[in-house]
Amino acid sequence: MSLKLILIPIISAIIGWFTNKIAIILLFYPENPINILGYTFQGIFPKRQKQLAKKIGKMVGEKLISIDELKQKLTNENTLQKIYKDLNYKIEEYILETTQEIKPISYLIPKKWILNLNKNISSKIEKTLPQTINLYLSEIEKEINIEKMVEEKINNLKSNELSQLLNSILKSEFLFIEILGGFLGFLIGILQVLMVVY
């Protein structure tokens, strides 16, 4: 087999890899619009940053984070038990410290009574805590629009920051696309050789 036929798959592989590499670069660059012969060129991601921000914001707001889900997580039995335990400890600590500071009271009131007071306060909190959490989260829901927040955050990113972010997330996928381009180019080169030989 001649050197020319051997070079065909190698050159095809290089072309396949190179074209995919260029295509990936053009996703990000140029960051700012460039006018060439009457045509405006800009990287796809910088050009579509607003649309991208809107779609990601919508996806996060609808699919990934919701106030209802936060309510469920914060009001499930395990979470509530942890909150009750922490509150109970803090209330007891506060009552004991306060009564110790007021010396006449600390001598007159037995510690058992103080602990009973703590128990009564804790039980009242235990009954009202789920409702309180739901109430606060409902107020937060009125004030915070997760979809809008995410959209604004992405829109406020500079083009190079957006490029770095997407590159860090999709680095391995981009590498795979480059390698795949080279592999497909190599296969096409082999087919060309087979067509020439046979």
Side-chain angles (χ1 to χ4, degrees):
M1 191 182 284
S2 71
L3 182 62
K4 284 182 182 179
L5 292 177
I6 292 168
L7 285 173
I8 287 171
I10 295 167
I11 292 166
S12 295
I14 292 167
I15 291 167
W17 169 81
F18 186 70
T19 50
N20 279 15
K21 179 82 174 171
I22 293 295
I24 289 165
I25 289 168
L26 291 175
L27 290 173
F28 302 99
Y29 302 100
E31 288 174 358
N32 299 309
I34 293 173
N35 199 297
I36 301 169
L37 302 171
Y39 291 96
T40 303
F41 293 94
Q42 189 180 10
I44 291 167
F45 287 136
K47 188 178 181 179
R48 305 283 182 195
Q49 185 167 348
K50 286 186 178 178
Q51 293 96 317
L52 189 66
K54 196 169 186 66
K55 286 188 178 180
I56 291 173
K58 193 172 182 182
M59 184 183 72
V60 171
E62 289 179 359
K63 309 279 184 190
L64 301 181
I65 300 170
S66 72
I67 297 295
D68 288 335
E69 197 175 329
L70 283 173
K71 284 178 185 175
Q72 286 171 8
K73 295 243 182 233
L74 287 170
T75 55
N76 74 40
E77 198 57 40
N78 288 337
T79 307
L80 287 172
Q81 285 305 320
K82 285 176 189 172
I83 296 170
Y84 297 148
K85 192 177 177 182
D86 287 344
L87 279 173
N88 191 43
Y89 174 76
K90 291 287 179 191
I91 292 165
E92 185 179 314
E93 190 179 46
Y94 176 75
I95 291 171
L96 288 170
E97 277 177 11
T98 306
T99 51
Q100 286 300 318
E101 284 170 11
I102 308 166
K103 290 296 177 192
I105 291 176
S106 65
Y107 297 130
L108 293 170
I109 300 173
K111 191 176 178 182
K112 187 181 176 182
W113 288 9
I114 293 167
L115 293 174
N116 273 338
L117 175 65
N118 170 51
K119 194 177 177 182
N120 288 334
I121 292 169
S122 295
S123 68
K124 291 218 184 297
I125 289 170
E126 191 171 339
K127 286 174 187 172
T128 58
L129 191 62
Q131 292 170 321
T132 307
I133 289 171
N134 279 320
L135 183 67
Y136 275 111
L137 286 172
S138 296
E139 289 300 314
I140 288 168
E141 191 174 14
K142 289 175 193 172
E143 298 293 324
I144 294 173
N145 185 330
I146 293 168
E147 186 178 321
K148 203 77 181 163
M149 278 174 61
V150 173
E151 186 181 336
E152 282 172 8
K153 288 280 184 189
I154 294 170
N155 272 327
N156 289 334
L157 287 173
K158 292 175 185 171
S159 291
N160 66 322
E161 289 173 331
L162 179 66
S163 298
Q164 285 168 7
L165 175 68
L166 291 169
N167 251 320
S168 66
I169 295 166
L170 301 168
K171 192 175 180 180
S172 58
E173 284 78 8
F174 289 149
L175 182 61
F176 174 75
I177 290 166
E178 288 173 30
I179 292 166
L180 185 64
F183 179 70
L184 291 173
F186 184 75
L187 286 181
I188 290 164
I190 287 173
L191 285 172
Q192 287 174 327
V193 170
L194 290 172
M195 285 169 71
V196 169
V197 173
Y198 300 104

